[in-house]
Amino acid sequence: MEPGFWHEKWQQQQIGFHQQEINPFLVMYWHQLALPADAKIFVPLCGKSLDMCFLAEQGHQVIGCELNELAVQQFFSDNQLPMQQSAEGEHQHYQTEQISLYQGDIFTLPHAITAEVSGFYDRAALIAWPESMRVQYAKQLAYLLPQGSVGLLVTLDYPQEALSGPPFAVSPTWVETHLTEDFEIQSLACQDVLADNPRFVKKAVPWLNEAVYLLKRR
Ligand SMILES: C[S@@+](CC[C@H](N)C(=O)[O-])C[C@H]1O[C@@H](n2cnc3c(N)ncnc32)[C@H](O)[C@@H]1O
C-alpha cells in the first residue's frame, strides 16, 4: 500500500493488525532458528509489535523499520521504554537498550543497517502488500538480509475475492514461486484461525489460514 494509507491508519488508530499478545507462532517456533542470544534480528514493517519485546527478552538486539512516526513513538511509550532519537539520513533512529527502530521507508533503508543481522521476523509485513507490490518488497527484504540469515515468515491465506486487503492473502504457492530464488523455505505449520478473526467471520470469509515458514537467505 502507499505510505498515505498507513499514515492515515495510524493517525486514526485503526490498527486492527496490532496484537495485544506475543504471536503464538513466534513463541512456538523461534527456538528452531537456533540463533545465539546476542544475535541481531531485523523486523521489517514492525509497527509497534510486542513481538519485538519477546525477541529482546531472548537476549537479541532488535532492529526494526517502520514508516510511521506515531507507531514508533507509541512502541516506546506503551512499553515505558526510555529512548534516544537522532536523524540518520532519511530515517529517524530511535534507540533503547536492545531495540533500535528506524522510522522511514524500508525501500530507502541503507543496507549497512542490516549488514550484521543473522535473524529476521516478518509478521504482517509481506501480507501488508498487494500482489502488485509484494515481489518488490520481497526483493528489498532479500537485499537487506545477509546470506545465511534465518527467520520466520508468518502469513495469512484466504480466498482473496471474499475480502479486500490488507491483510492480503499469500498462498503457499505464492511463497514457493516467488521466494525460492532468494530463500530456502521450510513450511513449519499452518492452522485455521477464522474463529479468532471477527472481521473475516463478519464478511463470511469461508476459511482463513495462518502459516509460518522458516526462511534461510541463500
Ligand atoms: C500490517 S502492519 C504490521 C505491523 C507489525 N508487523 C505487526 O505485526 O503488528 C504493516 C506496517 O508496515 C508499515 N509500513 C507500510 N509501508 C512501509 C514502508 N514502505 N516502510 C516501512 N514500514 C512500512 C505500516 O505503517 C504498518 O505499521
Side-chain angles (χ1 to χ4, degrees):
M1 305 300 282
E2 297 302 327
F5 172 88
W6 293 108
H7 290 314
E8 200 179 319
K9 290 288 173 203
W10 279 104
Q11 198 53 45
Q12 296 180 358
Q13 289 289 284
Q14 290 173 353
I15 51 171
F17 53 80
H18 178 71
Q19 297 184 316
Q20 302 300 335
E21 283 167 17
I22 314 285
N23 185 279
F25 277 154
L26 173 63
V27 177
M28 211 176 299
Y29 293 108
W30 186 253
H31 71 277
Q32 288 211 11
L33 303 181
L35 287 163
D38 62 355
K40 289 189 175 155
I41 311 299
F42 182 49
V43 185
L45 277 63
C46 61
K48 58 170 185 169
S49 173
L50 292 177
D51 296 344
M52 294 190 282
C53 299
F54 171 86
L55 293 169
E57 279 161 18
Q58 310 312 301
H60 301 319
Q61 296 289 329
V62 178
I63 300 170
C65 178
E66 166 55 47
L67 186 68
N68 185 266
E69 185 181 354
L70 193 56
V72 173
Q73 287 174 349
Q74 285 183 0
F75 173 76
F76 290 104
S77 58
D78 288 359
N79 296 296
Q80 297 170 347
L81 293 167
M83 53 83 175
Q84 289 195 320
Q85 182 185 354
S86 58
E88 203 158 312
E90 280 185 30
H91 291 74
Q92 286 293 315
H93 181 198
Y94 294 74
Q95 193 167 20
T96 191
E97 213 174 311
Q98 279 174 266
I99 301 179
S100 248
L101 301 190
Y102 289 85
Q103 183 249 315
D105 191 346
I106 192 165
F107 287 104
T108 57
L109 191 68
H111 185 263
I113 287 171
T114 54
E116 288 176 5
V117 309
S118 51
F120 57 96
Y121 175 66
D122 177 319
R123 184 253 159 198
L126 184 71
I127 63 170
W129 301 99
E131 190 157 14
S132 57
M133 296 167 81
R134 197 179 302 142
V135 169
Q136 203 186 337
Y137 162 76
K139 284 285 166 198
Q140 178 65 5
L141 182 62
Y143 161 75
L144 288 169
L145 292 170
Q147 189 179 12
S149 55
V150 288
L152 295 182
L153 166 67
V154 181
T155 60
L156 287 174
D157 190 21
Y158 60 93
Q160 186 66 83
E161 62 279 6
L163 191 93
S164 61
F168 294 96
V170 174
S171 68
T173 308
W174 192 97
V175 169
E176 191 67 34
T177 307
H178 293 96
L179 299 186
T180 300
E181 188 175 319
D182 294 317
F183 297 94
E184 288 170 27
I185 304 162
Q186 185 188 346
S187 172
L188 295 179
C190 178
Q191 94 191 16
D192 186 343
V193 293
L194 184 61
D196 305 331
N197 287 273
R199 179 182 160 211
F200 287 76
V201 175
K202 217 161 128 188
K203 296 269 180 177
V205 178
W207 55 270
L208 175 66
N209 287 344
E210 190 174 27
V212 58
Y213 302 87
L214 194 162
L215 302 186
K216 182 173 182 184
R217 177 74 172 98
R218 292 186 193 274

